[in-house]
């Protein structure tokens, strides 16, 4: 009788739309601030990729990845549709656009599995090459050690990257713990106690505060941009003088230096523009004041950033360190700068 009543209640209300914030299958926070289309957005319906051969890709996604093919309406382009379990994947015939494959800083689709330890065996049996990313920690790691020293460490989230027939990257992972943590439900997860831990309500309050500070931050950045344009080719002491720093330390603070050097291992960090020796010199001349040292590095790296991708393990065995490269930031002629007294820049 209870079951029949439940079925009757479901039938009565099945066509009544549920507020996305009340849907337990979605990640929305109740009472969140909604911007733009956020007032009407419900969820992601599908992702679509352009493939050169629909039949070849359909066989790969069904036989190798194991996705379930679903019905597709007949319309003005060739393709195939699949479900990944929670959202759809649409293959569309056309000209693919994929990453070079020199490193693992790539656009990708991540698929969560129930037994990540079996992934290398299954891929190897299917003759599919893969790379293992070891950059994402499962918890706290010792300062300065990073996570990319070993492919078997218990401290990393297991992530295996492979490419489909056109070269698109797929990540096969055990990312459930990360999802739980990122949504604010993982404060008690083993190891995740480093830095600021915010639940969803606290995060919303923090975001609101951040938005109120955004205008001030924008003005500060504009002043820094003008300083960078004027001083980008000047020696370190001249840059420091422009920032109002006229006293250098006799010796460098080794603890602060160590933390800056650790940042050289973070992809895209401003510290990757510098050598260990130049960071030491900048910090000493900045009187061991890290914010001022960072300003100097921003000025010196104004025209381009050195990008040093993290290491990965080919087939989970051979460690590979991709080559660093220079990424131009922008055309400085396109930067609009206000007329202001840069000597008053806050540091």
């Amino acid at each position: 009788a209870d079951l029949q009543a439940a079925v009757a209640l479901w039938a009565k209300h099945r066509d009544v739309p549920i507020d996305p914030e009340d849907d337990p299958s979605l990640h929305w926070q109740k009472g969140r601030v909604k911007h733009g289309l956020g007032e009407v957005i419900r969820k992601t319906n599908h992702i679509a990729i352009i493939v050169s051969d629909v039949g070849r890709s359909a066989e790969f996604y069904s036989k190798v990845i194991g996705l379930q093919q679903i019905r597709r309406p007949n319309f003005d382009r060739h393709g195939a549709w699949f479900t990944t379990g929670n959202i759809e994947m649409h293959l569309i015939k056309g000209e693919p656009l994929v990453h070079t494959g020199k490193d693992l800083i790539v656009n990708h689709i991540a698929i969560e599995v129930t037994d990540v330890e079996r992934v290398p065996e299954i891929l190897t049996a299917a003759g599919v090459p893969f790379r293992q990313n070891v950059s994402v920690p499962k918890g706290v790691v010792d300062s300065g050690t990073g996570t990319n020293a070993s492919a078997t460490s218990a401290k990393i989230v297991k992530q295996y990257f492979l490419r489909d027939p056109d070269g698109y990257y797929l990540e096969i992972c055990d990312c459930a713990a990360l999802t739980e943590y990122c949504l604010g439900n993982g404060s008690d997860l083993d190891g995740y106690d480093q830095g600021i831990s915010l639940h969803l309500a606290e995060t919303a309050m923090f975001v609101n505060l951040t938005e109120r500070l955004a205008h001030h931050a924008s003005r500060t950045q504009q002043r820094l941009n003008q300083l960078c344009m004027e001083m980008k080719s000047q020696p370190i002491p001249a840059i420091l003088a422009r920032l109002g720093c006229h006293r250098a330390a006799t010796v460098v603070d080794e603890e602060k230096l160590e933390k800056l050097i650790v940042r050289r291992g973070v992809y895209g960090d401003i510290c990757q523009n510098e050598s260990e020796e130049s960071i030491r010199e900048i910090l000493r001349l900045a009187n061991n004041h890290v914010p001022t040292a960072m300003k100097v590095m921003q000025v010196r790296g104004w025209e381009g950033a050195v990008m040093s991708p993290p290491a990965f393990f080919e087939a989970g065995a051979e460690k590979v360190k991709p080559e660093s490269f220079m990424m131009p930031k922008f055309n400085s002629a396109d930067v609009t700068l206000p007329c202001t007294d840069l000597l008053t820049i806050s540091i």
Side-chain angles (χ1 to χ4, degrees), residues 135-153:
S135 297
V136 181
K138 188 173 285 186
V140 174
V141 295
D142 296 333
S143 177
T145 61
T147 59
N148 56 11
S150 169
T152 59
S153 171

